[in-house]
Amino acid sequence: MTKFGPDKRPYIVAEMSGNHNGSLDRALALVDAAADNGADAIKIQTYTADTMTVDVKHPRFQISKGHELWSEAYLYDLYERAHTPWDWHQPIFERARERGLTPFSSPFDRTAIELLEKLDAPMYKIASSEITDLPLIRMAASTGKPIIISTGMASVKEIAAAVEAAQGAGATDVTVLSCTASYPAPPQYTNLRRIPVLAQMLELPIGLSDHTLGIGVPIAAVSFGACLIEKHITLDREDGGVDSAFSLEPAELKALRIESERAWEALGTTHIGPTEAEKEGLRFRRSLYVVTDVKAGDPVTEENVRSIRPTGGLEPDAIRTVIGRTFTQDAAKGTPLTWDLI
């Protein structure tokens, strides 16, 4: 059974990516930071530069000039810098499990899936750029593990094909993540309104893989039904790293945990009317009260009867009916005005 869905609090996935900066100690510290600050899972990426691309210095293998983070970097060099060495996977998974986190990964080829199966990875995530690699999706799905599919850049047709490939290969637990595959992602292109559209179209749990700055966007996503939030994490953005510029620091991850759950709890129901939490407040609605001591026979005036808090007297709108009538008995200041007094 899936660990996430609309009936559960948002599931928080901390993405390590290349923010280990080439240090296993830092990678393990990131696992600890995720555990200490409310994440449910830690995700890594299982590839080498050679399983991702080839070492060719040609413009088609080069990121465009002017990219905010990786201008003119060659793919091979970027992946060589950012990859998580395969011999680190076991200590990362072990530390995560010791700390109560679920460790899993994005595989990028058959050898990655084989490694992750040996580590008993509990689920797989398909990265946005791999959504059209249907053979890879089928390989991951054939393990019988839950599949999470990120949809950055994808059309409706491509998303549907990826889901069909996963389910056709045996996946019975598929989650789809709305995503804008831009690093960092501008909020105006995040299009959170597509979350309920995807949910209705696919009839699957929908989450958000988010690359915007801060936590405002993922918290807003919860109000549209996102049941899983994935965010990159770092120990300190000032330390640098391939993804550090759009990653959350530990205190921000903790705030995301708290505020996303608060947002989910606030969704409530469509009920309109007093709630259980407002029961005490109902006592302090306004009503008509005698506000000065009066004697039987005194006229009811705007000076001796007013609309004040709390409730207990006639509705405030009755003031037009009672003004000019006379009191039938003495009444002390602070007496609720009722029909038997006039």
Side-chain angles (χ1 to χ4, degrees):
M1 182 182 227
T2 185
K3 297 179 180 180
F4 28 88
D7 60 333
K8 300 177 178 67
R9 65 174 176 79
Y11 191 84
I12 304 298
V13 176
E15 165 66 75
M16 183 185 299
S17 186
N19 286 333
H20 50 65
N21 296 355
S23 165
L24 176 57
D25 286 343
R26 184 180 176 90
L28 297 177
L30 282 165
V31 174
D32 290 337
D36 290 340
N37 291 282
D40 297 294
I42 185 85
K43 191 184 85 67
I44 58 178
Q45 299 181 21
T46 306
Y47 66 85
T48 68
D50 291 302
T51 65
M52 287 288 272
T53 189
V54 290
D55 188 7
V56 174
K57 299 301 187 282
H58 185 283
R60 70 169 59 96
F61 293 91
Q62 188 176 27
I63 294 173
S64 299
K65 183 177 181 179
H67 188 279
E68 190 170 341
L69 299 181
W70 311 312
S71 177
E72 297 187 280
Y74 286 102
L75 294 181
Y76 190 93
D77 296 339
L78 180 62
Y79 299 141
E80 184 67 27
R81 176 185 169 202
H83 83 285
T84 301
W86 287 22
D87 59 353
W88 291 9
H89 280 53
Q90 183 170 343
I92 289 172
F93 272 47
E94 287 176 352
R95 177 66 67 87
R97 286 167 172 149
E98 289 169 2
R99 296 302 313 276
L101 294 173
T102 298
F104 71 109
S105 185
S106 290
F108 292 84
D109 76 330
R110 179 183 295 277
T111 61
I113 294 173
E114 290 171 351
L115 170 66
L116 292 166
E117 279 298 287
K118 290 176 182 176
L119 296 173
D120 196 24
M123 53 189 170
Y124 291 99
K125 186 207 169 182
I126 303 301
S128 288
S129 292
E130 277 59 47
I131 194 170
T132 57
D133 190 345
L134 301 185
L136 175 66
I137 293 173
R138 293 187 188 104
M139 276 189 280
S142 69
T143 66
K145 308 285 180 64
I147 301 296
I148 301 169
I149 301 173
S150 206
T151 60
M153 306 173 288
S155 66
V156 168
K157 180 179 179 181
E158 290 166 340
I159 295 169
V163 170
E164 182 179 351
Q167 293 176 332
T172 58
D173 191 342
V174 178
T175 299
V176 170
L177 304 186
S178 180
C179 177
T180 301
S182 177
Y183 309 90
Q188 63 268 32
Y189 294 123
T190 303
N191 296 333
L192 295 180
R193 288 187 176 92
R194 64 189 169 193
I195 291 175
V197 175
L198 286 168
Q200 183 176 24
M201 177 180 78
L202 300 171
E203 297 183 337
L204 294 172
I206 306 297
L208 177 71
S209 177
D210 182 53
H211 308 114
T212 63
L213 305 181
I215 64 173
V217 168
I219 290 170
V222 173
S223 70
F224 284 95
C227 60
L228 181 154
I229 302 296
E230 179 190 49
K231 287 286 283 188
H232 288 238
I233 62 165
T234 186
L235 297 178
D236 188 331
R237 281 187 292 273
E238 294 299 317
D239 292 344
V242 291
D243 297 332
S244 62
F246 59 89
S247 298
L248 297 183
E249 294 180 350
E252 295 167 321
L253 176 62
K254 185 174 184 178
L256 175 62
R257 160 81 287 152
I258 294 169
E259 297 303 331
S260 64
E261 186 166 350
R262 200 191 310 273
W264 172 73
E265 290 174 339
L267 293 176
T269 71
T270 56
H271 170 74
I272 298 174
T275 65
E276 183 67 23
E278 296 172 309
K279 185 179 291 186
E280 177 70 4
L282 286 174
R283 293 183 50 230
F284 299 104
R285 281 183 163 182
R286 283 178 174 261
S287 66
L288 298 183
Y289 267 77
V290 177
V291 294
T292 62
D293 294 340
V294 296
K295 300 287 188 181
D298 286 349
V300 178
T301 69
E302 293 181 352
E303 285 70 41
N304 58 29
V305 170
R306 286 172 41 213
S307 169
I308 63 170
R309 294 182 182 186
T311 190
L314 298 175
E315 291 288 334
D317 199 40
I319 190 72
R320 295 175 297 178
T321 303
V322 301
I323 292 296
R325 298 195 182 200
T326 57
F327 285 96
T328 59
Q329 54 189 285
D330 297 351
K333 177 181 179 180
T335 300
L337 185 68
T338 53
W339 289 115
D340 60 324
L341 289 181
I342 55 177

